[in-house]
Amino acid sequence: MTARDAILGRVRSSLGVKAGDQRRAAIAAERMAQHPETLVPDRAKQAGPALFAQFRALLEGQQAMVIEAGPAEAVPQAIARYLESIGETTGKPPAIRFGSDARLAAMPWRDVDWIDVRHGAAEPGDRVGLSHALAGISETGTLVIAAGRDNPVTLAFMPETHIIAVARETIVGSYEQALDLVRGAFGGSGMPRTLNYISGPSRTADIGGKIVIGAHGPRRLCVIVIG
Amino acid sequence: MHIETPLFKQNARSALQDPQLQRALGGLPGGLVAQRAAARDRLPEFERLRDAGRDLRNDTLAMLDVYLEMYERKATEAGATVHWAETAADARSIILDICKSAGARLVAKGKSMISEEIGLNAHLEASGLEVVETDLGEYILQIRGEVPSHIIAPAIHLTQEQVEADFRRTHTSLPEHRRLVEPAELVGEARQVLREKFLTAEVGITGANFLIAETGSSVIVTNEGNGDLTQSLARTHIVIASIDKVLATREDLATVLRLLARSATGQECTTYATLSTGPRRPGDVDGPIGYHVVLLDNGRAELLGSRFREVLRCIRCGACMNHCPVYNAVGGHAYGWVYPGPIGAVLTPALIGIAKGANLPNASTFCGRCEAVCPMKIPLPGLMRHWREAEFESGQQPARQRYALKAWAWLAARPRLYHVAMRFAAAALGAAGRSKGRFRWLPLAGGWTRHRDFAAPQGRTFQQLWVEHQRGVPQ
């Protein structure tokens, strides 16, 4: 008997059930088809300005910066100003890197031609990574990134500064609403290779219980809201 | 991991006398208690979410075989290789084999309690691999040759000064007189040292907070980002997870995430929660090329059929230990195995046997705070009581303790005799202790009076007072 069969056999005997029980399989299939939400807190059911205000306040409370950039065309300029504000423009010219996301590629980077724009996965020397989020979640101040070729996952963790662009209309109240957007993009039970929920710069409290921002991941998180 | 649970009493005694440990423990778990309370108060639905969390975990456990098969199927479709391990030894050798065929020399590790449970590091190191813990707390413990004392704050028993000394001792290639005063300076140094390791490791091993049957994903929940670097930079990613980690859907994950960070640290959510589904896909420029999941049983399937099933709902938040007066006094190491605190007191005997684990369910005052805060509403004191019964039934306790318990049980099962005996005892002790109101010494209760006084009864039993009270109240 394989280890698999032995383990599943023990599980079934503990539960007092038999393999291949159609009724139980149907219960599970129904659960997958319905994927019911359990209990969504009221704070996740807000709309309009209140929803956005909560998104922003929670992210700021989690030591992230939130910038409302206006239209997509204004994003490169907004990023340039942000890099200036954190001192990335002193000394050698700044560089940022992003993947092959079409929304990012379509932005007018020539407006900020003094910034070195690179593409691909993060490399050890990179200081600034840029990703485009699939969604934002107001209830906890969270960005959802469907990482892959378009938005390489390493860009969110290796550089000291991570910038996430998010379209205002994709900022939703709850995790459940964000999952609807994931299903919209990847279908049924489809998933990107990595789905990241990100809610601030990296942090640790492992030394004497004191919170330090900037553990292994980015020291800074900047959220650029488009639209 | 080496089992020291039978030494709990000695270990607890030395922990109480360790000034360094007492200083480190002072206020820390307490701080987490206050932060949890604040997070709960900010979310009016919190208590109802606990009910919801309990129910969905119960539903999933009742269908565990179906969801495990579904998880396996979906993960395999996404390109994962799923391995099944019945025992710790099986899991160790499966992981070592994967490391060998991946040509690994350096293995980066994210935080995983399961890897502690199966003694993974020692096994890999015995085969010549270098293993580096990348969670900051775990890294500190690794260079000290210690094990975690808390499931989410593994180095909670250490002070900043101890960490500074360890870094100066081990990071010898750095300037000797560098400044390491602020926690941020220590974190920065660890970041620099470990970044090298992330970039060189051929294999990254992480645990999984959860597995999702619907999508075949493994989930890690972290604040540091080390787990994400571990699993996305190495060519091979190995996930080690016990079979009880399965959730049905991504929506269920949302509910559980609402409870996890709030219960653990009082955060609204952790900085990162990452769902990984299979290896790198065509056209991807990063991510692992091999993605393996090792599903470990190690006693859990049997636990599912026992009266301890409810412990399998645990999501490893650590709230029970933060709120435990015993844990707060002695720290995690005294418990002597992987899982400390109330959850350890229930889980440890189940995993290593009551013969070795009996001290732990006895290391509780049954104050009930653990159950009151558990996000999954696990009845921890009740389960510890089951273990105490199991210990008695197994006949391992010293003869004197067994006879005393038997005598007590005999008396307690005879209410009339019991009331007479108690009335007599309360009256006698009340009379003897009337002058001072307390006893500094009592026969047969030396263990109690060695450390504190015993309050003298007022002369009548609770039952007597209760009857009088009932009579006094108009019907």
Side-chain angles (χ1 to χ4, degrees):
Chain A
M1 196 186 338
T2 63
R4 176 185 188 278
D5 294 344
I7 293 171
L8 288 173
R10 267 199 297 275
V11 169
R12 290 192 186 104
S13 113
S14 280
L15 294 174
V17 298
K18 291 206 160 53
D21 182 337
Q22 293 305 313
R23 193 186 51 85
R24 299 175 77 242
I27 293 174
E30 173 73 7
R31 194 167 171 77
M32 297 303 136
Q34 302 294 326
H35 50 82
E37 49 183 51
T38 313
L39 169 60
V40 177
D42 281 347
R43 68 150 76 162
K45 294 175 181 163
Q46 305 183 64
L51 178 141
F52 183 77
Q54 176 177 262
F55 175 73
R56 164 176 235 160
L58 283 167
L59 271 166
E60 286 172 350
Q62 286 143 202
Q63 277 79 42
M65 164 86 99
V66 180
I67 295 171
E68 292 175 68
E73 298 74 52
V75 169
Q77 296 278 11
I79 289 177
R81 281 192 300 274
Y82 170 69
L83 292 182
E84 215 163 348
S85 75
I86 60 168
E88 278 296 329
T89 51
T90 53
K92 57 181 180 182
I96 69 168
R97 190 187 293 276
F98 56 86
S100 51
D101 189 287
R103 295 160 296 186
L104 295 176
M107 291 171 180
W109 294 101
R110 60 187 178 279
D111 293 356
V112 290
D113 57 7
W114 47 278
I115 296 180
D116 181 4
V117 178
R118 302 167 187 176
H119 299 277
E123 287 176 15
D126 288 353
R127 299 189 51 80
V128 184
L130 170 64
S131 312
H132 201 299
L134 176 76
I137 302 174
S138 171
E139 76 166 290
T140 51
T142 299
L143 283 304
V144 184
I145 298 176
R149 172 186 359 183
D150 290 352
N151 291 285
V153 68
T154 46
L155 291 175
F157 293 96
M158 279 176 62
E160 299 230 329
T161 301
H162 186 211
I163 303 174
I164 306 178
V166 61
R168 189 183 296 269
E169 66 271 17
T170 61
I171 301 173
V172 296
S174 67
Y175 282 79
E176 286 79 355
Q177 286 171 297
L179 287 171
D180 290 341
L181 297 178
V182 173
R183 287 195 175 89
F186 296 90
S189 62
M191 284 285 271
R193 145 71 199 148
T194 316
L195 188 76
N196 295 102
Y197 293 135
I198 299 181
S199 310
S202 84
R203 60 160 72 196
T204 183
D206 274 347
I207 295 182
K210 300 185 186 80
I211 290 171
V212 174
I213 299 298
H216 291 294
R219 295 177 199 270
R220 280 177 290 269
L221 177 72
C222 175
V223 177
I224 306 264
V225 181
I226 304 166
Chain B
M1 191 173 138
H2 184 63
I3 295 172
E4 268 201 18
T5 45
L7 304 176
F8 177 79
K9 286 175 192 170
Q10 291 100 294
N11 288 344
R13 203 165 296 137
S14 33
L16 288 169
Q17 287 159 3
D18 179 343
Q20 188 94 286
L21 173 67
Q22 290 301 323
R23 199 152 60 85
L25 284 175
L28 269 187
L32 293 171
V33 166
Q35 287 162 27
R36 175 198 172 274
R40 177 203 58 202
D41 294 345
R42 286 192 298 266
L43 191 69
E45 296 87 352
F46 189 81
E47 292 305 320
R48 286 198 290 134
L49 274 167
R50 291 176 63 211
D51 291 332
R54 174 199 58 202
D55 294 347
L56 77 83
R57 289 286 275 161
N58 279 345
D59 290 350
T60 315
L61 288 171
M63 300 265 290
L64 188 60
D65 56 324
V66 176
Y67 289 130
L68 278 169
E69 285 185 301
M70 186 183 291
Y71 167 78
E72 181 192 39
R73 189 169 66 246
K74 296 301 291 186
T76 309
E77 278 170 18
T81 310
V82 178
H83 310 257
W84 299 74
E86 290 186 71
T87 64
D90 293 347
R92 288 193 298 262
S93 62
I94 291 168
I95 293 172
L96 179 60
D97 286 347
I98 302 169
C99 290
K100 278 183 178 164
S101 50
R105 276 172 302 182
L106 176 63
V107 175
K109 264 191 72 208
K111 182 167 167 38
S112 155
M113 293 310 294
I114 299 290
S115 79
E116 301 284 342
E117 178 182 324
I118 66 173
L120 182 62
N121 290 13
H123 187 72
L124 298 180
E125 283 161 359
S127 296
L129 293 171
E130 186 191 347
V131 183
V132 180
E133 293 286 349
T134 63
D135 172 86
L136 182 55
E138 295 280 353
Y139 172 71
I140 293 164
L141 298 181
Q142 188 179 34
I143 62 179
R144 292 176 66 84
E146 290 185 5
V147 294
S149 69
H150 189 288
I151 61 172
I152 64 151
I156 201 167
H157 61 285
L158 297 175
T159 61
Q160 184 185 325
E161 292 70 29
Q162 287 172 295
V163 178
E164 181 193 340
D166 292 325
F167 280 12
R168 290 197 188 280
R169 178 173 55 78
T170 47
H171 300 162
T172 46
S173 60
L174 297 173
E176 198 184 329
H177 298 293
R178 66 194 184 279
R179 214 183 111 93
L180 284 176
V181 179
E182 298 299 322
E185 289 162 340
L186 291 155
V187 174
E189 180 164 315
R191 176 189 173 103
Q192 182 191 337
V193 170
L194 285 167
R195 187 54 72 94
E196 269 309 305
K197 304 289 185 188
F198 285 122
L199 293 167
T200 347
E202 295 87 6
V203 171
I205 300 178
T206 67
N209 292 80
F210 307 102
L211 303 170
I212 303 178
E214 179 194 14
T215 56
S217 311
S218 60
V219 183
I220 59 168
V221 177
T222 73
N223 280 312
E224 293 185 3
N226 66 303
D228 289 276
L229 288 169
T230 300
Q231 64 183 24
S232 47
L233 289 175
R235 287 172 58 86
T236 303
H237 175 202
I238 305 174
V239 180
I240 168 84
S242 56
I243 54 171
D244 52 318
K245 300 284 184 185
V246 182
L247 298 174
T249 63
R250 289 166 285 187
E251 276 73 9
D252 285 359
L253 175 67
T255 300
V256 173
L257 287 181
R258 287 186 179 110
L259 288 160
L260 178 55
R262 291 185 174 98
S263 298
T265 59
Q267 289 169 276
E268 301 293 327
C269 60
T270 53
T271 303
Y272 304 113
T274 304
L275 291 73
S276 301
T277 314
R280 186 186 292 213
R281 295 176 184 178
D284 281 3
V285 289
D286 56 15
I289 291 162
Y291 172 79
H292 297 261
V293 182
V294 181
L295 295 175
L296 174 73
D297 178 352
N298 211 25
R300 288 166 176 83
E302 274 182 31
L303 204 50
L304 188 65
S306 74
R307 54 184 173 176
F308 300 100
R309 179 197 284 198
E310 291 183 275
V311 77
L312 294 173
R313 288 204 300 265
C314 176
I315 56 171
R316 305 286 188 271
C317 70
C320 60
M321 52 200 78
N322 298 337
H323 289 77
C324 176
V326 176
Y327 178 92
N328 271 264
V330 302
H333 285 160
Y335 290 81
W337 200 56
V338 179
Y339 304 100
I343 187 65
V346 176
L347 197 55
T348 304
L351 297 179
I352 67 172
I354 187 64
K356 286 180 186 158
N359 273 326
L360 306 192
N362 285 295
S364 167
T365 63
F366 280 178
C367 73
R369 284 179 92 195
C370 50
E371 181 175 1
V373 299
C374 175
M376 293 295 131
K377 293 204 160 177
I378 300 169
L380 290 158
L383 297 178
M384 282 184 243
R385 192 174 291 117
H386 286 330
W387 277 127
R388 292 186 188 183
E389 287 161 17
E391 183 200 16
F392 182 78
E393 284 156 16
S394 74
Q396 294 159 20
Q397 291 151 314
R400 193 171 143 186
Q401 202 176 336
R402 293 182 57 76
Y403 287 130
L405 279 171
K406 271 190 183 159
W408 176 260
W410 183 85
L411 183 64
R414 288 164 178 77
R416 215 171 275 176
L417 187 61
Y418 178 89
H419 290 313
V420 172
M422 286 302 122
R423 235 173 278 169
F424 172 76
L429 284 173
R434 193 177 301 141
S435 57
K436 289 191 177 140
R438 61 194 161 87
F439 296 96
R440 299 190 60 184
W441 181 82
L442 268 181
L444 302 176
W448 176 282
T449 53
R450 199 178 308 140
H451 299 289
R452 53 243 189 265
D453 292 345
F454 185 87
Q458 305 281 302
R460 279 174 304 164
T461 67
F462 172 78
Q463 299 273 358
Q464 287 173 297
L465 293 170
W466 179 252
V467 169
E468 285 165 27
H469 173 77
Q470 290 294 83
R471 279 191 197 130
V473 177
Q475 296 296 309

